C-alpha cells in the first residue's frame, strides 16, 4: 500500500484546520485590469464544456490532445488542427483531469471525470497509438456534493492521486497500477475550510487549493490556511491550474537541478479573466483575457479553463491557456503561453514533460560480471 508523503503531511496538518470555518484571508488585493491576448485557435464543441484537460503525445508534440468533458460525454481533439479524435458519448460529466501511469514514452495517460448523476468518478486510459479512450473498470463512489477535484502526481511518483474538494473536507485517493488499470490503494478524509472550490497538483506533488474569495493556498505546513500563497479579486472561481516550467537551458550551473519556473492560473468565470501568479513565491503577475481577432471571437465569460506548460508544438511549445464558451455555438478558445508571457512580461522557462523522465539505468544493472581465475 502506497501513501504519498503529501497525504501523510496533510493528515496531520489539516486535522488542525477548523472544521466548518472559512480559510483565513489576507486583505483584499487591488483590482487588476486584464490585458487582452489575441486568440490563436478555436475548437468547436458539440456541447458546452464542464472541464478541459490535455494529454501529451509520446513523441509528436502537435498530435497531443485537448480533452473536453460535457453533459454529452468525453471528447478529444487534435491540438494542431482541432480535429475530433475520440469520444465517449452519452455520459453526463462534470469536470475532467489527466495524469499518467509510468514514465516517458511508454507512460499511459489516464483520464478522471466526475459523473454527478451517479455520484462517482469514471476513469479512462488513452491508447498511445490510436489516441482513443478505453474505459477502465475502476470506479469511485463519492457521497456528497463535489465542489472541485484534481488528479496528479509528483516527480518520480509512478501513479497519480485524486483530490476531491467538498464542503469542510478534502478527500485523497491514492492509486496503484493493476493489470494496466488503477486500483485504490488508500484513501484519507481531511478537515478543511468550508469555502474551498478548486484544486491543482504541482509537479513536486504539493496540493494547491483555491477559495471562493479568490485566495490560493499551498498546503505545505500547519499554517497553510492562515495566509494565502496568492490572491486575486474575482467574482466566481472557475478553475485552478499549475503551468510548470524549469529554468531555461544555460541558466542552471552544471550538475545542479534546474530552478523552478512557471505560473499558477486562476479563472474568474464571470469575466473570463485568468489571473496569473508566480509558481515559486505566489506574487501576482497580472491577468489576461482572450481577445477577439477577425476570425475568432473573444471570451467575456468562461465555462471552464485548461492550462499547461507542456510542449504541445508550434505556437504552444511553452504551453497554453484554453477557455470554454457556452451559448449556441460552444467552443474552446486558446492563447499560447508565449503570448501571455509577452503581455505580462514574465519569463516562460523550459517546458516540463508531464509524462516524466525514465530513470537512467546504472551500468551494474546491464553488465554481467564474470570472475576469471588463474588455472
Amino acid at each position: 500500500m502506497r501513501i504519498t508523503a503529501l497525504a501523510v503531511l496533510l493528515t496531520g496538518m489539516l486535522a488542525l484546520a477548523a472544521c466548518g470555518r472559512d480559510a483565513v484571508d489576507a486583505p483584499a488585493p487591488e483590482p487588476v485590469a486584464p490585458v487582452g491576448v489575441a486568440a490563436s485557435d478555436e475548437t468547436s464543441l458539440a456541447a458546452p464544456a464542464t472541464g478541459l484537460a490535455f494529454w501529451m503525445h509520446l513523441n509528436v508534440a502537435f498530435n497531443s490532445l485537448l480533452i473536453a468533458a460535457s453533459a454529452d460525454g468525453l471528447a478529444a481533439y487534435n491540438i494542431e488542427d482541432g480535429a475530433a479524435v475520440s469520444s465517449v458519448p452519452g455520459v453526463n460529466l462534470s469536470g475532467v483531469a489527466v495524469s499518467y501511469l509510468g514514465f516517458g514514452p511508454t507512460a499511459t495517460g489516464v483520464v478522471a471525470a466526475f459523473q454527478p448523476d451517479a455520484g462517482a468518478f469514471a476513469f479512462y486510459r488513452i491508447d498511445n497509438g490510436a489516441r482513443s479512450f478505453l474505459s477502465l473498470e475502476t470506479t469511485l463512489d463519492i457521497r456528497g456534493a463535489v465542489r472541485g477535484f484534481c488528479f496528479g502526481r509528483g516527480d518520480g511518483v509512478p501513479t497519480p492521486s485524486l483530490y476531491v474538494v467538498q464542503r469542510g473536507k478534502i478527500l485523497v485517493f491514492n492509486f496503484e497500477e493493476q493489470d494496466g488499470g488503477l486500483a485504490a490503494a488508500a484513501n484519507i478524509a481531511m478537515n478543511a475550510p468550508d469555502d474551498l472550490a478548486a484544486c491543482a497538483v504541482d509537479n513536486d506533488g504539493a496540493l494547491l487549493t483555491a477559495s471562493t474569495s479568490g485566495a490560493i493556498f499551498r498546503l505545505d505546513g500547519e499554517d497553510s490556511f492562515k495566509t494565502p500563497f496568492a490572491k486575486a479579486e474575482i467574482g466566481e472561481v472557475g478553475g485552478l491550474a499549475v503551468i510548470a516550467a524549469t529554468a531555461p537551458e544555460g541558466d542552471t550551473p552544471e550538475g545542479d537541478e534546474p530552478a523552478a519556473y512557471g505560473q499558477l492560473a486562476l479563472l474568474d468565470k464571470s469575466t473570463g479573466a485568468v489571473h496569473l501568479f508566480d509558481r515559486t513565491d505566489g506574487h501576482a503577475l497580472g491577468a489576461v483575457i482572450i481577445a477577439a481577432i477577425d476570425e475568432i471571437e473573444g471570451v467575456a465569460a468562461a465555462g471552464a479553463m485548461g492550462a499547461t506548460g507542456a510542449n504541445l508544438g508550434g505556437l504552444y511549445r511553452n504551453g497554453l491557456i484554453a477557455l470554454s464558451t457556452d451559448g449556441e455555438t460552444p467552443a474552446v478558445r486558446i492563447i499560447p503561453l508565449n503570448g501571455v508571457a509577452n503581455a505580462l512580461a514574465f519569463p516562460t522557462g523550459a517546458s516540463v514533460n508531464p509524462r516524466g523522465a525514465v530513470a537512467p539505468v546504472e551500468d551494474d544493472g546491464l553488465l554481467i560480471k564474470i570472475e576469471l581465475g588463474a588455472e
Side-chain angles (χ1 to χ4, degrees):
M1 180 180 293
R2 176 183 65 85
I3 301 178
T4 64
L6 173 63
V8 173
L9 170 65
L10 292 178
T11 301
M13 183 192 75
L14 291 186
L16 301 177
C19 186
R21 193 173 67 189
D22 290 352
V24 177
D25 283 349
E30 292 294 326
V32 175
V35 178
V37 177
S40 52
D41 276 306
E42 179 180 63
T43 297
S44 297
L45 304 177
T50 60
L52 300 174
F54 303 95
W55 171 82
M56 187 171 181
H57 195 276
L58 58 161
N59 51 32
V60 183
F62 53 76
N63 278 345
S64 300
L65 298 176
L66 163 69
I67 299 173
S70 74
D72 286 355
L74 200 63
Y77 304 88
N78 196 56
I79 286 289
E80 182 182 31
D81 55 13
V85 175
S86 182
S87 66
V88 179
V91 184
N92 180 19
L93 299 176
S94 178
V96 65
V98 173
S99 191
Y100 298 84
L101 302 176
F103 305 106
T106 61
T108 299
V110 178
V111 175
F114 183 61
Q115 299 175 286
D117 296 342
F121 281 89
F123 298 87
Y124 304 88
R125 179 171 67 87
I126 301 175
D127 184 271
N128 275 335
R131 298 186 294 168
S132 56
F133 295 117
L134 302 173
S135 180
L136 296 175
E137 294 183 1
T138 305
T139 56
L140 198 61
D141 294 331
I142 301 292
R143 291 185 179 181
V146 172
R147 294 185 169 188
F149 69 91
C150 48
F151 188 50
R153 61 182 186 172
D155 293 330
V157 179
T159 55
S161 294
L162 177 71
Y163 302 87
V164 182
V165 178
Q166 295 186 300
R167 181 175 179 177
K169 62 183 176 181
I170 299 173
L171 306 179
V172 182
F173 299 90
N174 294 318
F175 294 96
E176 290 180 346
E177 188 171 8
Q178 187 177 79
D179 299 327
L182 291 175
N187 65 81
I188 299 166
M190 303 170 296
N191 292 337
D194 280 351
D195 61 346
L196 299 185
C199 68
V201 184
D202 204 342
N203 277 44
D204 61 2
L207 180 65
L208 295 142
T209 63
S211 73
T212 54
S213 65
I216 299 173
F217 299 89
R218 184 179 175 90
L219 307 191
D220 55 7
E222 294 181 3
D223 295 333
S224 292
F225 286 121
K226 288 187 176 180
T227 304
F229 182 70
K231 186 167 184 181
E233 182 177 290
I234 63 173
E236 182 182 3
V237 173
L240 176 67
V242 177
I243 303 173
T246 59
E249 291 184 13
D251 284 6
T252 301
E254 186 174 351
D256 290 353
E257 289 291 325
Y261 270 56
Q263 300 78 40
L264 305 181
L266 181 67
L267 170 65
D268 185 345
K269 293 179 66 171
S270 64
T271 63
V274 179
H275 294 258
L276 282 300
F277 308 90
D278 186 271
R279 176 177 165 232
T280 59
D281 63 15
H283 77 265
L285 299 169
V288 295
I289 55 172
I290 296 182
I293 59 173
D294 290 342
E295 300 84 5
I296 303 174
E297 295 180 12
V299 177
M305 175 185 70
T308 179
N311 176 7
L312 301 185
L315 283 174
Y316 310 124
R317 61 190 177 277
N318 288 110
L320 56 80
I321 295 174
L323 299 180
S324 69
T325 62
D326 300 342
E328 295 182 2
T329 55
V332 173
R333 295 182 184 128
I334 302 174
I335 50 177
L337 187 66
N338 287 334
V340 177
N342 289 338
L344 299 182
F346 63 75
T348 55
S351 296
V352 172
N353 189 337
R355 288 177 167 269
V358 178
V361 178
E362 299 291 338
D363 287 346
D364 286 349
L366 298 175
L367 300 178
I368 299 175
K369 294 185 178 181
I370 302 175
E371 299 289 341
L372 297 177
E375 293 289 342

